[in-house]
Amino acid sequence: TNHKVFLLNKEHYSLIISFGITIPEDDNITVTLYDENGKSFIQTISNYYKQGYSTVNLNLNQPYQLSSGTYFINVQYKDENRTLKFVK
């Protein structure tokens, strides 16, 4: 496993989700938010992160208007994917 993803914090009221990533070398990370039906809501493409541990913050307030339900955050580093699940 070349990278790890950790769910750090989810605040229901502000809908800010923070999670940590650990990567072995500097590179781009793609973060995509999906609903339980597989519909993509947010895609953060080509955010550059330094080697080691970094915190990623997703602000899910407007304009996304997420209804209650189950969502998945997919984090892609090179050809590897990790998925986090959260419930709003």
Side-chain angles (χ1 to χ4, degrees):
T1 301
N2 289 334
H3 80 287
K4 297 178 182 176
V5 179
F6 310 93
L7 185 59
L8 296 180
N9 188 29
K10 179 182 67 163
E11 300 176 22
H12 280 289
Y13 300 107
S14 65
L15 273 184
I16 295 174
I17 295 176
S18 300
F19 58 91
I21 58 171
T22 302
I23 57 175
E25 57 189 49
D26 298 359
D27 210 332
N28 293 320
I29 298 289
T30 301
V31 178
T32 309
L33 174 66
Y34 295 96
D35 69 7
E36 60 192 343
N37 296 317
K39 182 178 176 186
S40 173
F41 282 94
I42 302 169
Q43 188 170 29
T44 306
I45 301 172
S46 296
N47 282 341
Y48 190 80
Y49 290 91
K50 297 281 188 180
Q51 173 186 3
Y53 184 85
S54 297
T55 299
V56 178
N57 296 306
L58 294 180
N59 184 344
L60 303 179
N61 288 320
Q62 295 182 3
Y64 306 110
Q65 300 295 328
L66 298 180
S67 59
S68 296
T70 302
Y71 294 88
F72 300 91
I73 300 168
N74 180 267
V75 179
Q76 182 178 0
Y77 167 75
K78 298 191 181 207
D79 61 348
E80 294 183 51
N81 291 285
R82 299 288 185 270
T83 302
L84 299 170
K85 177 181 172 182
F86 76 97
V87 178
K88 176 182 182 243

